[in-house]
Amino acid sequence: CFSIRGRNRHVLLDCGPSVLVALRRHGLDPSSVDTILLTHLHGDHFGGVPFFLLDARLISIRDRPLTIAGPPGLEARIRRAMDVLFPGSVELLHGLAVRFVELTLFSNADLGSIAVVPYEVIHESGAPAYALRVTVDDKTIAYSGDTQWTDTLLEVAKNADLFICEVSSFEKEIRYHLNYQTVKAHQSALTCRRLVITHLGEDVLRHREEIDIEMAEDGKRFSL
């Protein structure tokens, strides 16, 4: 999960199961989040949404609207996840001002003061998997989501202020994922102003001293 805070907007980019713990650990109020953007519907990227919604209804007593946007089928998948984790909890959504938005490829979604454009990438998750370009306060953050290499990432990262790119392994080929050596080989073609790698597996961390691309870390802050 990445927390994007603009002048008048707080956005979560993906929403893993530990998101509430992480937000509060770093002094961020979950109720301040306006929008949750999901790249794809795997548990490590959307599994925090049921907990986020239950917290909003029962703990934080949220009284402001929330938009959750992502690939087609996101509302049904979230409702199913809620029912599996906490049977009957879907009924609690009736007390929340929550809006689900399915993002359309290459189209700028109507999400108020932020602009979001999705690009389809190569990752199997039972629904389309997206990379996203998110613009807040005239700054553009690009995010690969999870994917194996595709030249689509060159367009996603084009002139972005920050490109966050997944790297699951150092050099091992993992289906539907990127490794450091592949990203390094394409780095010169990326025209983003800043490149950060994330989704770092133990294999990547063991090679930390050999990596010369900036790495994401829990609690790290970026000013754009």
Side-chain angles (χ1 to χ4, degrees):
C1 175
F2 291 87
S3 167
I4 305 172
R5 286 173 292 164
R7 288 187 293 270
N8 301 301
R9 206 75 178 171
H10 186 181
V11 179
L12 294 188
L13 189 53
D14 276 339
C15 187
S18 59
V19 66
L20 289 173
V21 175
L23 286 172
R24 291 191 166 107
R25 177 181 295 155
H26 296 289
L28 300 176
D29 180 4
S31 293
S32 71
V33 174
D34 302 288
T35 306
I36 298 174
L37 302 176
L38 303 175
T39 57
H40 65 287
L41 302 180
H42 270 159
D44 55 330
H45 291 257
F46 93 101
V49 174
F51 300 102
F52 191 96
L53 293 173
L54 289 178
D55 177 271
R57 184 72 174 87
L58 301 175
I59 307 298
S60 299
I61 316 298
R62 184 185 182 97
D63 61 359
R64 58 188 299 187
L66 173 68
T67 298
I68 303 176
L74 82 158
E75 181 176 2
R77 187 81 70 88
I78 288 168
R79 286 175 177 271
R80 289 201 302 272
M82 292 182 70
D83 194 50
V84 168
L85 293 169
F86 302 96
S89 64
V90 172
E91 297 302 318
L92 295 175
L93 292 180
H94 296 315
L96 288 174
V98 59
R99 177 174 68 126
F100 296 94
V101 177
E102 293 189 354
L103 300 175
T104 303
L105 284 175
F106 314 120
S107 297
N108 189 3
D110 178 16
L111 299 178
S113 61
I114 66 172
V116 182
V117 180
Y119 296 74
E120 190 164 11
V121 290
I122 305 169
H123 191 73
E124 185 61 50
S125 62
Y130 289 160
L132 299 176
R133 280 178 66 91
V134 184
T135 301
V136 180
D137 296 343
D138 299 323
K139 299 294 183 179
T140 297
I141 298 166
Y143 180 36
S144 68
D146 284 359
T147 182
Q148 65 191 61
W149 179 262
T150 166
D151 285 348
T152 297
L153 295 178
L154 301 177
E155 185 65 24
V156 172
K158 187 175 181 180
N159 299 323
D161 295 282
L162 172 65
F163 176 40
I164 304 167
C165 187
E166 78 110 327
V167 167
S168 294
S169 63
F170 183 70
E171 58 186 355
K172 181 181 179 181
E173 296 288 342
I174 300 177
R175 192 179 185 192
Y176 301 134
H177 286 282
L178 289 165
N179 62 46
Y180 170 75
Q181 299 295 352
T182 297
V183 174
K184 185 64 180 174
H186 289 92
Q187 185 177 7
S188 62
L190 295 168
T191 59
C192 51
R193 294 178 178 86
R194 187 173 182 178
L195 171 63
V196 173
I197 56 175
T198 189
H199 207 285
L200 308 173
E202 289 297 323
D203 174 47
V204 181
L205 298 177
R206 283 195 297 270
H207 291 84
R208 181 184 292 269
E209 299 302 318
E210 303 170 54
I211 292 174
D212 62 0
I213 298 176
E214 186 176 3
M215 302 168 70
E217 297 182 28
D218 288 347
K220 190 169 187 175
R221 295 173 181 245
F222 306 90
S223 296
L224 303 179

